[in-house]
Structure formats: C-alpha cells, structure tokens
C-alpha cells in the first residue's frame, strides 16, 4: 500500500516535536498518567487502563511534577523498568509527584522507587524472582483487591527486593518469596505491587488495575470511542477552520479510519489521494474506490502510477534499494498529486493547508533510552528517506492518542466495514518485499494470485482474523515437478503465517495440516508457473516477518 510506505518514511520526520504532545483531549477526559521508567510493559499498562474506559497517557519518568499537575491526573502509575533503584544512574522521578495529593500505584521498579524515596529500603534479592507465583492477600480491606479472590496467580520479574517499608505503609499481600508483594498507605492512597498486574500471566490483573482507577482514583467510565468521535471532531474543526485537508489513503486501517473521522468532521473539505503503485494485492484498489469513493462519498483522487513504479524497479534486486526506490517514487507521485490539487480550486474556497496522517499513539510516545528496554528499538527499514518539507502542509493527526485496538473500535463506530477495520498489516513497499530478486509485472501477477488464495482460505477457515499476518512469498527458485504426464520446472511459493502483538517479535502459526494441504493444492493447481509450496516455520527473531 503506497501510503503505508509514505507513512513509514514520514513518521520520524514529521512527528510532533512537543515533549508532552499538545492533546486538548488531556483536559477533556479524566486521566491516569503513567510514568515510564523503561519497562517493556509500559504500553500494556496504558492499554489496560483504557480497557477500563479511562484515558491514560504515558510520560517520561522525569517529567516535572508541575507539568504533570497541570494535566490534573486522577492517578499516577510508576511503571517497572530494567534498572536497580540503588544504581548510580537509576532513572528517578521528580520527587514532588509524591506531594501532588494524587493516588499513586508503583509497579515492580515503580514500587521499589517510591519505597526508597519515602524512606524504605531496597536490596538485591538472593535470586531473581521470575515467572508465575501465587499471591496471598493478607489485608482483605485493601481496595486494590476488592472483589478479587484471596489467592491469585501473578507474574514476577524482578531481582531486587523491598526489605524495609517506609513509614505509614503496611503489607497487603505476600508471595512465597516476598512479604511485601503488595503494599499500601491508604491514607495517602499510595500502593505498590512487586508483580506485574498488566500482563496476561496475571489473569486477574485487570481487576487490580480497575480497582485502582475506579475505586481508588475515583475515575468514571468516560473513555469510549463513541465519546471520542464527538470530541475529536470538535478538535479537528477547530484546527482546520475553513481550510482543506489532504490525506494519503492506503486502504490500511489507520489511514482509512483517519479518513472516515475527518470526513465526518469536515465533509467535502477532505480530499484523499490513493496511489496505485502496482504492488498492491488483488482487489485492493477496487475496494478502496468502492468503499471510500462510492459508499462514503469521500473526494478521492486515484492515481494509477503502477507503470512508473515497476519501471523504476527494473533490475533492482537489493531489498533496501527496492524500499528506497519505492519510497522516493511514492513521494514524487504524491507531491505531483498534491501540486495538481493545489492548482485546482478547493471546495468551499479554502486553501489546501493540511496534510492528515494516521499516526498512532505508540509512534508519538517518546521511548525511554534505558539499556535493556526493547521498546527503545526502532527498526531501521521503517526509518528511511524523508518527506520533502517543501510540501508546506501542516499536520492533522486525529488518531495520535489512540492505540491500534482503539482505532479499530473507532473505525467500526464510524461505520467502516469489518473487511477494512480488521485487516492485517501490509507493508508500504507492498508485494515488492515478497518477491526476492527482481520485481516484474509477471511475478507480481503470480504472487497476487497466490496471495489472494491464501487470504481467501484463511478467511474461510476463520484463521485470518485471529492472527497478525498471513501471506504468500514468491521464491526465485525453480524446481522440477510432474503435473499430469508432464515434467515441470517452475517457481515455489512460501506460505507465511505469524502471530504477534506488535510486529517486533513473532511466532509462526501452527496451521492445521488440512488447511495447509488445501492452500498448497489450490496454489499449485491455480497459479500458472508454480509447482511447489513450502510453509515457513521461522519465528522472529531470528527471522523477520517479511522475507526482505
Ligand atoms: P519485519 O519484516 O521487519 O516486519 O519483521 C515487521 C512488520 O512490519 C511490516 N513491514 C513494513 N511496513 N514498511 C512498512 O510500512 C516497510 O518497509 C515494512 N517492512 C516490514 C511487516 O509487514 C510486519 O508487519
């Protein structure tokens, strides 16, 4: 999808510069602030809070207490982190957060931090406590565990141990290895957990988080996508005024939902540009034109640049060069389309002043560069090139405080079809990175057909919506086969199906043999030029999801 390529190249260059992103929403919704000390689970905490219908936002661990206070949070969560609180360069919060009069929940490192800050003692444990444990609640009045059983399965991951409680605190729960697995100072509403309530391995952890945000912080269930639509529309209208917005539509979830939301806010003053780069999947261009052009009646500028892209890709075999060629070409095509629009008359007389992007919350969270935090890693191939600033358009990013699952919910709420809202990710360079070697129109056609068989069968068997991605790869390998009475010498298709949370790591999906048999049978029979199918059983790491 072309816009995804554009998106991928643009997100690091056009990102908002503010440390605390200026989201007016911050003042509209009750919120919980999460201070990030570099845990790999910080975003999971934020998502869990939002699942309780409470808005949450992640800030750097050292955000000044004054800035936090201005946001008027109902509560603060201190995340875990890879450091030791007694290490010389341990990340420390602004100590004045403990004087804001706001409830605080410290998780793992967060607990050890506030315990040390408030006069307790943390030491290196004899052994690292890692994995499942059993928690026994010893204070049945502790509001964190209200309505939860007395014993709970929890997930631990820590090497340090709280050995002395600060004044005013008492233990609320214990595990085999810790008498301070949960601690509380009910008067100040400070709570701490040595384990991780946010992860799936703490099955009732959501209940603990719900108790913190509702019972302790007093938040209502105000964060819903239905409410969000109304408020986001107001925000968009205020930003855009009487002017016009251009959006690069790829047909992927993010740009599609952004388009539907913007259209609801400003109607005909939104123009979407859809670039066909010749590397799209079967039916892709038609679906986008049907859904957005005809059904939603959104102004859509369709640019068929497939010949232009395929010409530029002639003879290119190096994966990184392919990406660069496609990224560069996309920018050129998009620029031309914008220039054409600007030359024409905009609807309502306003100017084309804005460029809308489907930037999501994880892209604007400033990652905390603490050793051992995998969240701080950025994939290099998503960070290539750069959008020319000469486009001179201001950014509108109506999804920038949403997580992916919220964007999907919002899409459904806006009436987008499930086919679009629940679709799997598709890389910006499209089929080109699934054709190792040279990309030719014939190879694209073969792969397109094989891919559509994979998608069709995965949907029919119900697997498509359960997993992260499934697709076909056309290998540049020919092998001998027999079909009927004839000897063949044809290409190979690799089938890939992976499970993942965010694409950073992935596991191959154990598809049933019957389904694999059906896929291989159909591909070999129906795709001319293919006589062999293989199934990729590589996880990431050490492999990557795409083959290039
Ligand atoms: P890898 O292959 O790095 O892929 O394991 C991780 C996720 O990213 C997608 N991907 C891309 N997306 N531009 C994109 O917009 C790209 O160049 C690109 N390369 C990989 C991939 O489909 C998977 O979901």
């Amino acid at each position: 999808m072309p816009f995804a390529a554009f998106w991928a190249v643009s997100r690091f260059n056009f990102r908002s510069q503010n440390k605390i992103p200026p989201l007016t929403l911050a003042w509209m919704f009750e919120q919980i602030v999460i201070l990030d000390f570099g845990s790999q689970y910080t975003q999971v905490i934020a998502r869990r809070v939002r699942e309780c219908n409470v808005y949450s936002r992640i800030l750097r661990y050292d955000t000044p207490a004054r800035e936090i206070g201005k946001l008027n949070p109902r509560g603060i969560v201190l995340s875990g982190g890879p450091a030791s609180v007694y290490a010389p360069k341990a990340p420390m919060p602004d100590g004045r957060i403990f004087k804001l009069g706001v409830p605080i929940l410290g998780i793992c490192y967060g607990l050890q931090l506030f315990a040390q800050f408030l006069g307790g003692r943390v030491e290196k444990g004899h052994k690292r406590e890692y994995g499942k444990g059993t928690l026994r609640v010893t204070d049945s009045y502790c509001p964190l565990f209200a309505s939860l059983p007395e014993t709970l399965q929890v997930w631990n991951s820590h090497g340090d141990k709280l050995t002395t409680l600060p004044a005013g605190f008492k233990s609320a729960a214990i595990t085999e290895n810790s008498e301070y697995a949960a601690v509380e100072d009910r008067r100040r509403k400070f709570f701490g957990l040595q384990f991780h309530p946010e992860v799936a391995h703490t099955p009732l952890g959501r209940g603990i988080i719900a108790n913190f945000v509702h019972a302790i912080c007093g938040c209502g269930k105000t964060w819903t996508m239905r409410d969000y639509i109304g408020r986001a529309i107001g925000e968009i209208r205020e930003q855009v005024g009487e002017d016009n917005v251009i959006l690069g539509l790829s047909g992927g979830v993010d740009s599609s939902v952004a388009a539907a939301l913007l259209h609801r806010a400003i109607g005909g003053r939104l123009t979407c540009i859809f670039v066909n780069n010749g590397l799209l999947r079967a039916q892709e261009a038609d679906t986008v034109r049907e859904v957005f052009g005809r059904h939603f009646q959104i102004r859509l500028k369709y640019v068929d640049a497939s010949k232009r892209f395929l010409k530029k890709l002639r003879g290119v075999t190096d994966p990184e060069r392919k990406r660069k060629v496609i990224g560069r070409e996309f920018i050129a095509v998009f620029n031309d389309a914008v220039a054409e629009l600007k030359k024409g008359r905009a609807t309502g007389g306003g100017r084309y002043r804005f460029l809308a992007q489907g930037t999501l919350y994880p892209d604007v969270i400033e990652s905390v560069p603490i050793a051992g935090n995998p969240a701080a890693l950025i994939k290099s191939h998503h960070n290539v090139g750069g959008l020319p600033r000469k486009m001179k358009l201001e950014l509108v990013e109506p999804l920038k405080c949403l997580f992916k699952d919220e964007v999907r919910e919002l899409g459904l709420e806006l009436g987008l079809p499930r086919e679009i809202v629940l679709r799997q990710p598709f890389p910006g360079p499209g089929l080109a990175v699934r054709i190792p070697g040279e990309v030719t129109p014939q190879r694209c056609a073969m792969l397109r057909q094989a891919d559509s068989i994979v998608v069709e069968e995965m949907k029919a068997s119900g697997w498509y919506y359960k997993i992260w991605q499934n697709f076909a790869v056309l290998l540049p390998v020919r092998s001998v086969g027999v079909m009927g009475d004839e000897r063949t010498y044809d290409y190979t298709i690799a089938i890939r199906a992976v499970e993942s949370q965010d694409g950073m790591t992935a596991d191959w999906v154990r598809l049933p043999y019957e389904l694999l048999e059906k896929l291989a049978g159909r591909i070999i029979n129906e795709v001319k030029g293919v006589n062999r199918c293989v199934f990729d059983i590589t996880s990431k790491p050490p492999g990557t999801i795409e083959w290039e």
Side-chain angles (χ1 to χ4, degrees):
M1 274 178 227
F3 190 64
F6 162 67
W7 195 131
V9 293
S10 67
R11 60 179 143 169
F12 297 99
N13 302 295
F14 256 180
R15 185 193 292 175
S16 331
Q17 297 299 314
N18 314 57
K19 269 211 164 154
I20 298 188
L23 307 172
T24 11
L25 283 169
W27 284 270
M28 293 179 174
F29 288 96
E30 290 177 327
Q31 67 179 302
I32 298 288
V33 160
I34 296 155
L35 291 188
D36 181 18
F37 291 89
S39 165
Q40 57 180 313
Y41 302 129
T42 303
Q43 290 192 28
V44 186
I45 304 174
R47 272 156 59 188
R48 294 285 168 269
V49 171
R50 291 192 187 190
E51 282 162 16
C52 299
N53 298 108
V54 176
Y55 180 53
S56 63
R57 70 189 301 189
I58 298 171
L59 298 178
R60 271 182 67 103
Y61 64 88
D62 52 1
T63 306
R66 201 162 31 87
E67 296 295 314
I68 298 173
K70 280 190 209 158
L71 300 175
N72 196 18
R74 289 297 173 104
I76 298 174
V77 178
L78 310 179
S79 83
S84 282
V85 288
Y86 47 76
K89 286 194 178 155
M92 291 289 155
D94 177 345
R96 285 166 295 189
I97 59 167
F98 298 106
K99 300 227 157 70
L100 288 173
V102 171
I104 295 182
L105 174 66
I107 296 177
C108 199
Y109 178 85
L111 152 72
Q112 294 163 3
L113 238 188
F114 79 59
Q116 175 162 294
F117 245 91
L118 301 174
R121 197 176 160 79
V122 176
E123 290 172 34
K124 195 166 175 51
H126 292 306
K127 66 174 182 140
R128 195 173 163 73
E129 197 178 7
Y130 184 81
K132 282 184 193 162
T134 304
L135 183 88
R136 202 157 64 75
V137 179
T138 46
D139 175 6
S140 53
Y141 292 105
C142 177
L144 272 185
F145 301 106
S147 310
L148 293 173
E150 211 171 86
T151 35
L152 302 169
Q153 181 193 311
V154 297
W155 182 259
N156 289 299
S157 175
H158 58 101
D160 294 335
K161 208 172 164 171
L162 177 58
T163 49
T164 312
L165 284 180
F169 277 82
K170 64 177 190 157
S171 170
I174 58 173
T175 60
E176 300 88 328
N177 298 312
S178 171
E179 52 186 313
Y180 303 130
V183 302
E184 58 179 338
D185 174 347
R186 261 189 262 162
R187 192 181 57 80
R188 286 185 286 182
K189 297 193 177 170
F190 290 168
F191 297 85
L193 302 171
Q194 188 56 82
F195 60 92
H196 289 270
E198 70 276 22
V199 303
H201 299 305
T202 302
L204 297 177
R206 284 159 198 252
I208 300 174
I209 291 174
N211 281 337
F212 178 68
V213 299
H214 297 307
I216 296 170
C217 300
C219 295
K221 295 189 173 184
T222 51
W223 176 251
T224 64
M225 285 306 107
R226 187 164 293 178
D227 267 8
Y228 179 83
I229 292 176
R231 298 186 195 226
I233 284 176
E235 202 174 81
I236 292 166
R237 286 184 183 154
E238 197 174 308
Q239 185 187 359
V240 171
E242 294 303 311
D243 286 317
N244 285 255
V245 179
I246 294 171
L247 180 142
L249 183 65
S250 69
V253 182
D254 307 340
S255 67
S256 298
V257 175
L261 181 60
L262 277 152
H263 186 248
R264 179 92 57 105
I266 58 168
R269 282 185 292 121
L270 168 72
T271 303
C272 294
I273 298 177
F274 179 81
V275 178
N276 183 346
N277 60 3
L279 304 164
L280 304 176
R281 287 164 295 186
Q283 310 296 328
E284 199 138 29
D286 292 345
T287 308
V288 166
R289 292 166 90 180
E290 174 62 36
V291 171
F292 293 94
R294 279 187 278 282
H295 179 69
F296 275 92
Q297 303 268 307
I298 292 180
R299 283 161 57 90
L300 186 65
K301 186 174 174 60
Y302 173 74
V303 185
D304 184 355
S306 39
K307 287 210 179 90
R308 199 168 148 175
F309 276 86
L310 291 171
K311 197 167 153 207
K312 289 273 176 200
L313 283 169
R314 240 180 248 160
V316 181
T317 52
D318 175 69
E320 285 307 298
R321 262 207 69 211
K322 269 187 201 172
R323 276 199 171 76
K324 290 215 168 87
V325 168
I326 295 166
R328 219 179 296 135
E329 203 50 27
F330 181 81
I331 289 167
V333 172
F334 195 80
N335 251 332
D336 291 350
V338 170
E340 238 175 69
L341 277 179
K342 282 182 166 176
K343 260 192 250 149
R345 263 169 50 121
T347 0
R351 291 169 299 154
Y352 285 107
R353 206 179 112 205
F354 295 94
L355 177 71
Q357 280 189 184
T359 314
L360 302 193
Y361 191 44
D363 300 304
V364 296
I365 299 170
E366 203 186 344
S367 59
V368 176
I370 294 172
N373 171 17
L377 299 176
I378 292 175
K379 282 172 282 178
S380 69
H381 63 247
H382 292 207
N383 189 13
V384 291
L387 256 190
R389 285 168 201 275
K390 67 178 181 201
M391 224 185 262
K392 291 205 178 97
L393 293 166
E394 290 168 45
L395 276 187
V396 185
E397 297 175 300
L399 311 180
K400 77 172 170 192
C401 57
L402 302 185
F403 286 108
K404 191 83 175 189
D405 39 0
E406 293 170 326
V407 172
R408 292 189 203 274
E409 204 184 317
L410 176 62
L412 292 174
E413 198 69 57
L414 287 164
L416 282 172
R418 272 169 60 87
E419 150 69 14
I420 287 196
V421 172
L422 301 181
R423 65 183 7 196
Q424 297 175 351
F426 184 64
L431 299 182
V433 290
R434 296 176 182 173
I435 302 177
E438 191 182 354
V439 179
T440 64
Q442 294 73 19
R443 289 182 181 176
C444 283
M446 257 198 251
L447 178 58
R448 199 170 279 129
Q449 198 188 350
D451 189 72
S452 71
I453 294 172
V454 172
V455 172
E456 202 181 305
E457 291 299 335
M458 292 295 284
K459 280 188 178 166
S461 57
W463 280 91
Y464 179 91
Y465 294 109
K466 287 193 218 150
I467 70 174
W468 175 260
Q469 267 173 314
N470 53 243
F471 53 87
V473 182
L474 177 68
L475 305 190
V477 178
R478 291 173 84 188
S479 66
V480 174
V482 275
M483 268 175 134
D485 292 331
E486 280 181 35
R487 176 183 180 280
T488 56
Y489 186 55
D490 282 337
Y491 287 100
T492 303
I493 285 284
I495 299 167
R496 184 95 168 113
V498 292
E499 186 53 85
S500 173
Q501 287 294 314
D502 50 14
M504 301 287 275
T505 60
D507 195 10
W508 62 280
V509 179
R510 276 66 172 167
L511 292 179
Y513 282 168
E514 297 71 30
L515 178 56
L516 289 172
E517 187 181 358
K518 193 162 191 188
L519 286 171
R522 277 197 64 192
I523 290 170
I524 293 166
N525 274 309
E526 294 174 32
V527 185
K528 206 165 167 308
V530 173
N531 68 351
R532 195 176 289 270
C533 257
V534 295
F535 183 50
D536 183 353
I537 54 166
T538 318
S539 289
K540 174 183 180 176
T544 52
I545 295 177
E546 303 291 346
W547 274 50
E548 285 197 334

